[in-house]
Amino acid sequence: MFSLIFVDLKASVASWRLWTLLGWLEVRQRYARSRVGPFWLTISMGVLIGSIGVVYGTLFGMKMSDYLPYLAISLVMWGTFSQTVTEGSTAYINSGAYIRQASTPKLIYMLQVVWRNLVILAHNFLIVLLLLAVFGVKSWATLPVFIPALVLYMINALWIAMVAGLLSARFRDLPQIIAALMQIAFYVTPIIYRPNALNRFSFIVELNPLAHLIELVRAPLIGEMPSATTWAVTITMAVLGWILALALTGRYLKRIPYWV
């Protein structure tokens, strides 16, 4: 079971030229013949951050110099995670024609999803850099921590997408359920509000693993170090999640062409 999936994973990683090219072409095709191109993603995200920032910053009585960078980082990083999971849930389904006609490693379609969303993240991250330049970096010492935090963040997003994609190939109603669950998760995860804003209901944040996941990549950029609990939770998620994802995918890898 594990030997089969490790062979597929190795072959998928070795085919990096293929999935990086396909991921980049998908981003370009979405905005073909547009003068602004993929930067429409950045513009729409900037408008969203600005509108939500003004409204909720006023409601919460927050200083814009603190709240806008916090909100921008949260929305940009959450968008990457949620899109990776939701697009991962349909990766095998949308690539059904290729899977049935060619004997290719299956995980290249998951890596393609991750790469495509990293490209989109690079475009949207310009907003974060702009706000940090305008309002100032809170702590230069914490910024390097963002790199390993981002790697761990995407590792968790990838195994969730793998599980979602496999189950969705078998149960076609699941992508709609996953999309709905991601919307619910958005509201119960501290993205547009701070973790301490729930007061009596703080257990919603404390027991929410996605709260630790978003805090992992947000904290270094707002001048804070992720807590030991946050590191422990996200690392544990990655280890247990990858064991689950590899076990499930290895067991049902040969059935994917029949399901799609």
Side-chain angles (χ1 to χ4, degrees):
M1 179 172 63
F2 281 102
S3 60
L4 182 63
I5 188 57
F6 281 134
V7 170
D8 190 275
L9 179 59
K10 182 180 179 180
S12 298
V13 174
S15 303
W16 63 271
R17 291 182 180 84
L18 176 60
W19 48 264
T20 53
L21 177 62
L22 290 175
W24 176 246
L25 287 177
E26 283 192 20
V27 175
R28 291 189 60 184
Q29 287 174 357
R30 290 184 188 181
Y31 301 93
R33 307 177 74 176
S34 169
R35 291 185 179 273
V36 181
F39 285 100
W40 275 116
L41 297 165
T42 309
I43 295 171
S44 60
M45 178 62 74
V47 171
L48 179 64
I49 291 169
S51 56
I52 293 179
V54 172
V55 173
Y56 283 91
T58 304
L59 288 175
F60 296 150
M62 303 285 290
K63 289 176 59 178
M64 288 298 169
S65 60
D66 293 330
Y67 185 62
L68 278 180
Y70 175 92
L71 179 66
I73 296 165
S74 300
L75 286 177
V76 168
M77 298 310 303
W78 175 260
T80 301
F81 175 80
S82 62
Q83 285 297 109
T84 299
V85 174
T86 53
E87 291 179 8
S89 67
T90 59
Y92 293 136
I93 298 172
N94 293 340
S95 302
Y98 300 106
I99 294 174
R100 291 190 299 268
Q101 294 177 16
S103 179
T104 56
K106 305 302 183 292
L107 292 183
I108 63 172
Y109 305 107
M110 292 298 163
L111 294 174
Q112 178 184 342
V113 168
V114 171
W115 172 250
R116 180 170 65 245
N117 282 285
L118 283 175
V119 172
I120 295 173
L121 172 63
H123 286 82
N124 289 337
F125 204 75
L126 294 175
I127 302 170
V128 175
L129 296 178
L130 177 62
L131 290 174
L132 291 178
V134 171
F135 296 115
V137 176
K138 302 298 181 183
S139 173
W140 289 96
T142 62
L143 287 182
V145 181
F146 175 73
I147 302 301
L150 177 62
V151 172
L152 183 56
Y153 187 76
M154 295 308 299
I155 285 174
N156 274 290
L158 178 55
W159 77 256
I160 296 173
M162 287 170 59
V163 173
L166 183 69
L167 296 178
S168 296
R170 177 63 181 85
F171 306 102
R172 292 303 178 91
D173 292 329
L174 202 56
Q176 288 74 25
I177 296 174
I178 291 173
L181 289 176
M182 294 306 296
Q183 290 181 348
I184 297 172
F186 175 83
Y187 292 107
V188 300
T189 303
I191 297 171
I192 60 175
Y193 56 88
R194 290 189 178 273
N196 56 7
L198 293 180
N199 296 325
R200 292 182 302 167
F201 301 97
S202 60
F203 66 90
I204 295 177
V205 173
E206 295 169 359
L207 300 178
N208 182 0
L210 297 182
H212 292 283
L213 203 57
I214 198 74
E215 181 66 15
L216 179 69
V217 288
R218 180 175 57 204
L221 297 177
I222 60 174
E224 301 173 3
M225 287 294 292
S227 66
T229 302
T230 294
W231 283 108
V233 170
T234 51
I235 291 174
T236 302
M237 284 176 61
V239 173
L240 297 181
W242 268 91
I243 292 174
L244 173 64
L246 291 175
L248 283 176
T249 308
R251 181 178 179 84
Y252 298 107
L253 188 67
K254 294 183 177 180
R255 299 189 187 183
I256 293 176
Y258 300 98
W259 290 344
V260 298

